[in-house]
Amino acid sequence: MSADIPLLPFEQGRHLLSVLQFDRQGLQALLNLAKAVDPIAKRQAVCTVLDGAMLCSLFFEPSTRTRLSFESAFLRLGGEVTTTTGFTFSSMAKGESIHDTARVVSGYSDVLVVRHPEEGSVAQFAAASTVPVVNAGDGTGEHPSQALLDVYTLESELGARGKSVDGCTIAILGDLKYGRTVHSLMKMLSLYEHVSFRLFAPPSLELPQSVADYAQARGHSVTVLDTVVEAVSSADVVYATRVQRERMTEELAQANAKGDLLNRAMLAEADNLGVVIMHPLPRDSRPDAYDLSTDVDDLPGLSIFKQTDNGLNVRMAIFLTTLGVGLDAVTLTTKQRPWKATLRP
Ligand code: ASP
């Protein structure tokens, strides 16, 4: 993150750039808010609390769920959205700087959501913006809203099994070097007590030492395992990740094009078919992509689409927080919907 932007606690009027802006209390407040807006996220109720507010989303890297869920979250709270995707269709293709782009766009909007391929770039947007900026992924840096929805999902899935995030064992697999979601998640989980991280990464894609040090310095155990089966056995949760091919050389990408990272046979061998299965998505479903196999999709712990659904709740809570909207105002502007959005069986 750029040193220009101090990482102040996330609250009304603040940018959201890093998971380091949360302490345990601030995290819990955001998760509680995310839970409270569940009827709006599930479209059982319609809310207009952000009537008149404008979100601008600027995505300079590919995205499906992050952009659409941020935009859906804003729309479901009654706001409006403008968007630009890719460098080609913005004036950055004409050489405009991050500073000028941010200053211009913040003149049209009440909040910006930005994804950009360079680490620290979203903090540069924030430094020039006149409205709050939310980091939707800055290169290999951070992805704070993903970590928030991951933790929200961990709380609900482990809670439903009579377990807690404090003291849990989580296996984290795959590209731990370039995967920004892993870096953000491990730092955010470091706010809890006694988490055991069991890591497996292929050669050259190991976790940066600084992230392991961060967790260990806060009392958590970080164990690197030689195989996926060893990492997963005894875990409460497995968090699989995609090889970030866009961030590496073709040679390294090729070296990591081999079979499955995690499949049903491995979970069976680890005697852990009931484990909670998470993934930030997208899952690379091409042959030999070295990712999570679809043969785990009917297992009871599969939570990957719960994560994507929970993303709406968490992103609503982010907007409500930075725009200073309390639950009272949400309740006052919420009504039951008169329509149905369910398929007949
Ligand atoms: N969607 C996540 C991200 O933007 C994970 C991924 O792309 O593999 O970082």
Side-chain angles (χ1 to χ4, degrees):
M1 274 309 146
S2 158
D4 300 330
I5 296 282
L7 290 178
L8 296 166
F10 182 58
E11 57 191 0
Q12 190 270 324
R14 299 273 189 238
H15 307 294
L16 175 54
L17 300 175
S18 167
V19 293
L20 302 184
Q21 291 172 258
F22 290 90
D23 59 14
R24 182 88 186 248
Q25 208 185 346
L27 172 62
Q28 202 53 58
L30 193 128
L31 299 180
N32 292 347
L33 190 53
K35 181 88 187 137
V37 296
D38 197 49
I40 307 169
K42 298 273 188 308
R43 293 188 290 180
Q44 293 149 355
V46 180
C47 179
T48 54
V49 75
L50 294 189
D51 186 22
M54 179 68 78
L55 162 70
C56 182
S57 68
L58 299 119
F59 276 69
F60 300 104
E61 267 193 337
S63 171
T64 300
R65 77 221 80 241
T66 303
R67 183 169 70 83
L68 293 182
S69 65
F70 265 121
E71 293 178 0
S72 300
F74 208 78
L75 291 165
R76 279 188 201 180
L77 291 169
E80 293 170 73
V81 175
T82 54
T83 189
T84 181
T85 52
F87 288 101
T88 324
F89 297 108
S90 83
S91 283
M92 284 196 165
K94 300 179 187 170
E96 188 164 51
S97 66
I98 286 180
H99 175 279
D100 289 1
T101 304
R103 171 60 192 87
V104 168
V105 176
S106 56
Y108 307 148
S109 323
D110 300 293
V111 57
L112 309 183
V113 172
V114 183
R115 170 172 287 188
H116 190 282
E118 278 159 41
E119 186 170 351
S121 54
V122 181
Q124 291 174 33
F125 269 90
S129 173
T130 58
V131 297
V133 173
V134 178
N135 181 1
D138 61 324
T140 55
E142 283 225 37
H143 197 342
S145 66
Q146 177 74 45
L148 288 164
L149 76 88
D150 289 341
V151 169
Y152 184 92
T153 307
L154 279 167
E155 290 253 4
S156 63
E157 292 310 304
L158 290 175
R161 289 160 176 79
K163 297 179 181 174
S164 151
V165 180
D166 291 305
C168 78
T169 299
I170 176 165
I172 306 187
L173 316 177
D175 181 351
L176 310 187
K177 179 174 182 184
Y178 296 107
R180 58 191 169 199
T181 68
V182 170
H183 308 161
S184 287
L185 178 61
M186 286 186 66
K187 288 180 192 162
M188 187 143 263
L189 283 176
S190 294
L191 292 174
Y192 288 78
E193 304 285 330
H194 307 298
V195 175
S196 299
F197 295 101
R198 295 175 66 79
L199 309 181
F200 171 81
S204 315
L205 299 181
E206 293 95 352
L207 187 76
Q209 191 56 43
S210 59
V211 182
D213 290 347
Y214 185 93
Q216 279 169 327
R218 284 156 184 80
H220 305 286
S221 88
V222 178
T223 313
V224 175
L225 284 312
D226 292 333
T227 65
V228 166
V229 172
E230 286 173 278
V232 172
S233 63
S234 81
D236 301 301
V237 181
V238 57
Y239 189 92
T241 64
R242 174 181 73 88
V243 177
Q244 308 280 300
R245 296 180 194 283
E246 68 276 31
R247 306 200 195 285
M248 61 185 67
T249 60
E250 188 50 36
E251 288 84 346
L252 190 51
Q254 280 308 321
N256 286 295
K258 48 182 181 196
D260 298 327
L261 170 67
L262 178 67
N263 59 30
R264 194 182 187 104
M266 294 171 190
L267 290 175
E269 194 183 335
D271 196 17
N272 205 353
L273 281 168
V275 68
V276 174
I277 302 170
M278 294 175 58
H279 191 303
L281 300 183
R283 167 166 59 178
D284 190 339
S285 296
R286 292 170 289 196
D288 287 330
Y290 202 47
D291 206 332
L292 179 66
S293 166
T294 52
D295 73 0
V296 303
D297 283 10
D298 61 348
L299 291 176
L302 189 86
S303 303
I304 60 179
F305 301 117
K306 293 180 183 167
Q307 286 171 271
T308 54
D309 288 347
N310 292 339
L312 266 180
N313 299 54
V314 161
R315 288 171 174 133
M316 280 189 209
I318 289 171
F319 290 132
L320 293 173
T321 302
T322 194
L323 294 174
V325 183
L327 260 185
D328 288 356
V330 173
T331 308
L332 276 175
T333 51
T334 299
K335 58 179 188 195
Q336 292 305 306
R337 55 160 202 207
W339 40 266
K340 287 195 170 39
T342 43
L343 282 173
R344 281 176 189 274

